[in-house]
């Protein structure tokens, strides 16, 4: 791999340039803002306009795993990985179910963290504590995923000139500096930069990869059918069930990411949120589908890669495309920086949400309720740094491929879906049954994961847990009704329901 285009000084220069840009954005975003204000730091004052909101939603949904991890998964799995496109569509569908309605209530009540909705709807109690635990777990897992992707992306895109460990440490420091300085505003502005670079770079990567195989997609498929027919065969029943299950699991789970919820809160207006989601509906075809085709083309460009080697596929293809000419070289530089920036930007989103939950819902509610906002924000920042330090140790020896890490967090985070979606529309939903349903779902999903059971008949443990979760919640609420610890004030007056559903 020593002859790769980006190896040596050029790769280091490209990464350095993007690092400097992100640091400058963080410094600029932090000027003149009140970083000690929780709303300013965590939500950019709830003033994100259409462009910033769209790209930060895009960065939230399309993480480094979407580029660095999805193409290798297509390489290994073949056409069954087309499921990645419809499950990204399902995420937008899930957003549209609850996001506009939640935004109206969040605007009125001044929500800052995702737990604010749970507390407002169901009152203080064990349900909010359990929800916070699941959110912190999911965010920590999500951060771990991005750290692994960061190291693999940098190593692959530089031909291992920058080692995995060095790349992770360097860009973690960059991320901590600019997110500490500028908060959500810095994160959103870096999302705009990396989003543009990613969209353009991935499109050119596909064009270049197709050029390298003579532009014959049919020929690539025919070759794959001859060399590895299982990758183009009609999926078995279990694979089809898994396909549908993953669409539901990821569609619901990704929409209730804590950092996704905070982006709903951060929108300037309900109209801005809806416009951003409308454009987001096209992104599965312009991003995930493109990456899928790149992975399939990779089976002809680099046949026979092991599972570990295939994790470097995007970097290998990018370097081959860069050798086609000056234009492709420049575009791959754009992609090169965009992939790294996308990974870092996704990590900082999770870090910001993690920090907010610790600051507001753990420290501010249970440890030191009298603490001023400035102290809460500082505690959240420090907690984020400590969490990243711990995750760096784990990232040194990652516990599986990026896809394995990706699925692991969804098994638990999807258990939050009922309190956000069902809780917004069903007035009779009660806190007690919601708690026991969430706990049962989490124990089932976590227990199956610990036992090494990936699925039962193609249905992942997280979805089985969610089914039990919903069943307990619905039946329990019908039996016991609204308990005493539920808020007496109706969180969803009729006029708001109309506005939220418009």
């Amino acid at each position: 791999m020593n002859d790769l285009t980006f190896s040596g000084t050029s790769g280091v220069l490209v990464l350095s340039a993007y690092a400097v840009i992100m640091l400058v954005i963080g410094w600029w975003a932090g000027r003149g803002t009140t970083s000690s204000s929780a709303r300013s730091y965590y939500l950019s004052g709830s003033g994100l306009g259409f462009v910033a909101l769209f790209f930060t939603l895009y960065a939230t949904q399309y993480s480094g795993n979407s580029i660095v991890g999805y193409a290798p998964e297509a390489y290994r799995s073949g056409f069954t990985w087309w499921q990645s496109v419809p499950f990204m569509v399902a995420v937008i569908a899930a957003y549209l179910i609850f996001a506009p309605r939640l935004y109206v209530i969040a605007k009125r009540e001044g929500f800052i963290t995702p737990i604010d909705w749970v507390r407002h709807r169901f009152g203080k109690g064990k349900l909010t504590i359990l929800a916070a635990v699941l959110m912190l777990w999911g965010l920590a897992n999500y951060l771990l995923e991005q750290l692994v992707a960061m190291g693999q992306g940098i190593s692959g895109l530089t031909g291992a000139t920058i080692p995995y460990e060095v790349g992770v440490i360097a860009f973690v420091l960059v991320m901590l500096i600019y997110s500490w300085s500028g908060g959500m505003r810095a994160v959103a502005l870096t999302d705009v930069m990396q989003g543009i670079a990613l969209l353009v770079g991935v499109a050119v990567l596909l064009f270049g990869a197709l050029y390298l195989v003579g532009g014959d997609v049919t020929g690539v498929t025919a070759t794959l059918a001859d060399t590895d027919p299982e990758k183009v065969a009609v999926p078995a029943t279990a694979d089809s069930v898994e396909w549908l299950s993953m669409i539901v699991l990821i569609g619901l789970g990704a929409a209730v990411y804590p950092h996704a919820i905070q982006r709903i809160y951060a929108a300037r207006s309900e109209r801005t949120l809806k416009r951003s989601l409308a454009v987001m509906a096209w992104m599965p075809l312009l991003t995930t589908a493109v990456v899928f085709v790149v992975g399939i083309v990779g089976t002809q460009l680099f046949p026979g890669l092991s599972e570990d080697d295939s994790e470097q596929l995007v970097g290998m293809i990018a370097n081959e495309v860069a050798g086609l000419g000056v234009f492709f070289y420049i575009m791959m530089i754009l992609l090169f920086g965009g992939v790294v920036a996308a990974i870092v930007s996704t990590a900082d989103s999770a870090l910001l949400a993690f920090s907010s939950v610790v600051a507001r819902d753990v420290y501010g509610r249970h440890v030191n309720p009298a603490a001023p906002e400035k102290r809460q924000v500082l505690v959240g920042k420090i907690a984020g740094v400590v969490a990243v330090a711990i995750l760096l140790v784990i990232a040194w020896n990652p516990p599986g491929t990026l896809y394995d890490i990706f699925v692991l967090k969804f098994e638990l985070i999807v258990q939050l879906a009922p309190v956000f979606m069902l809780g917004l529309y069903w007035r009779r939903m009660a806190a007690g049954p919601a708690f026991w349903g969430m706990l049962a779902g989490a124990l089932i999903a976590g227990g199956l994961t610990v036992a090494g059971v990936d699925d039962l008949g193609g249905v992942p443990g997280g979805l089985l847990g969610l089914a039990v979760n919903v069943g307990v919640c619905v039946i329990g609420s019908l039996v016991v009704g609204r308990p005493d610890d539920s808020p007496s004030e109706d969180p969803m007056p009729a006029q708001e329901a109309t506005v939220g559903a418009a």
Side-chain angles (χ1 to χ4, degrees):
M1 296 173 64
N2 292 329
D3 60 345
L4 293 175
T5 304
F6 288 123
S7 63
T9 305
S10 59
V12 177
L13 290 176
V14 171
L15 283 174
S16 299
Y18 269 84
V20 170
I21 292 172
M22 286 187 280
L23 288 171
V24 170
I25 288 176
W27 169 79
W28 184 82
R31 289 191 316 152
T33 62
T34 308
S35 60
S36 60
S37 162
R39 177 165 298 278
S40 175
Y41 184 75
Y42 292 121
L43 299 181
S44 189
S46 297
L48 292 184
F50 168 71
V51 173
L53 183 63
F54 163 72
F55 277 110
T56 199
L57 283 169
Y58 177 74
T60 299
Q61 187 171 343
Y62 297 91
S63 66
N65 188 38
S66 304
I67 309 301
V68 179
Y70 282 22
E73 190 62 35
Y75 179 96
R76 294 186 292 262
S77 303
F79 278 79
T80 58
W81 188 239
W82 180 254
Q83 65 178 278
S84 60
V85 177
F87 71 50
M88 283 299 191
V89 174
V91 176
I92 304 302
Y95 272 134
L96 292 172
I97 290 174
F98 77 100
R101 189 181 181 101
L102 178 62
Y103 173 82
V104 173
I105 300 172
K107 193 77 170 180
R108 182 195 71 189
E109 300 295 333
F111 294 164
I112 293 177
T113 76
I115 297 297
D116 286 339
W117 157 251
V118 183
R119 185 180 299 107
H120 172 76
R121 174 63 175 83
F122 298 101
K124 301 175 183 179
K126 54 185 179 289
L127 177 60
T128 61
I129 296 174
L130 178 59
V133 170
L134 293 185
M135 286 183 186
L136 290 174
W137 165 265
L139 288 167
N141 198 291
Y142 196 79
L143 266 170
L144 175 60
E145 175 195 356
Q146 302 314 310
L147 295 180
V148 175
M150 203 181 296
Q152 291 179 342
I154 293 169
S155 177
L157 289 168
T158 59
T161 300
I162 299 178
Y164 172 93
E165 295 82 0
V166 174
V168 171
I169 291 175
F171 274 85
V172 160
L173 290 174
V174 170
M175 175 188 72
L176 290 174
I177 292 171
Y178 77 74
S179 62
W180 185 294
S181 302
M184 172 67 84
R185 190 176 180 212
V187 170
L189 291 176
T190 55
D191 287 346
V192 173
M193 176 193 72
Q194 63 89 357
I196 295 172
L198 208 60
L199 283 171
V200 176
V202 167
V204 177
L205 177 67
L206 174 63
F207 182 82
L210 291 174
Y211 179 83
L212 289 171
V213 295
D216 186 6
V217 181
T218 304
V220 172
T221 305
T223 301
L224 188 61
D226 292 336
T227 58
D228 201 346
E230 290 185 357
K231 291 182 178 179
V232 298
V234 175
T237 301
D239 290 333
S240 299
V241 172
E242 181 187 12
W243 178 314
L244 294 174
S245 298
M246 291 302 293
I247 290 174
V248 176
L249 178 68
I250 296 174
L252 296 177
V256 294
Y257 274 151
H259 45 302
I261 299 295
Q262 283 189 305
R263 273 142 184 78
I264 295 172
Y265 296 170
R268 180 178 296 166
S269 66
E270 185 182 2
R271 181 172 180 270
T272 298
L273 176 62
K274 289 181 177 179
R275 287 178 61 203
S276 298
L277 292 175
V279 178
M280 278 289 293
W282 294 96
M283 293 302 105
L285 295 176
L286 297 179
T287 304
T288 319
V290 170
V291 173
F292 166 80
V293 176
V294 168
I296 297 298
V297 172
T299 61
Q300 183 163 321
L301 292 174
F302 301 99
L305 295 177
S306 67
E307 182 173 292
D308 288 340
D309 289 340
S310 69
E311 288 286 302
Q312 308 290 340
L313 182 66
V314 172
M316 296 165 69
I317 296 176
N319 279 282
E320 291 294 322
V321 171
L324 294 175
V326 175
F327 171 77
F328 288 98
Y329 181 81
I330 294 173
M331 289 297 102
M332 288 304 96
I333 288 178
L334 187 68
L335 173 65
F336 179 35
V339 166
V340 174
I343 296 168
V344 177
S345 290
T346 306
D348 62 31
S349 298
L351 179 63
L352 198 67
F354 185 97
S355 169
S356 72
V357 173
V358 171
R360 304 278 295 177
D361 301 307
V362 178
Y363 180 76
R365 292 280 178 178
H366 300 285
V367 178
N368 187 4
E373 282 197 354
K374 183 177 181 179
R375 172 68 63 84
Q376 292 179 18
V377 171
L378 178 61
V379 168
K381 289 179 178 181
I382 295 173
V385 173
V386 172
V388 169
I390 295 172
L391 292 172
L392 274 175
V393 176
I394 300 174
W396 233 246
N397 293 291
T401 66
L402 289 174
Y403 178 65
D404 294 332
I405 300 172
F406 174 68
V407 172
L408 179 61
K409 67 177 180 292
F410 272 104
E411 303 296 314
L412 296 181
I413 205 73
V414 75
Q415 307 307 324
L416 296 166
V419 299
F420 281 95
M421 298 182 186
L422 193 59
L424 270 166
Y425 288 93
W426 192 30
R427 299 172 187 272
R428 193 171 177 178
M429 184 174 175
F435 168 79
W436 292 112
M438 185 184 294
L439 180 62
L443 290 176
I444 291 171
L448 290 174
T449 300
V450 171
V453 179
D454 294 330
D455 59 72
L456 295 175
V459 180
L463 201 56
L464 293 171
L466 180 62
V468 173
N469 182 351
V470 172
V472 171
C473 180
V474 170
I475 295 174
S477 295
L478 289 174
V479 172
V480 306
R482 293 285 294 275
D484 293 336
D485 62 348
S486 291
S488 57
E489 178 187 356
D490 191 342
M492 299 168 292
Q495 64 269 26
E496 282 195 338
T498 303
V499 174

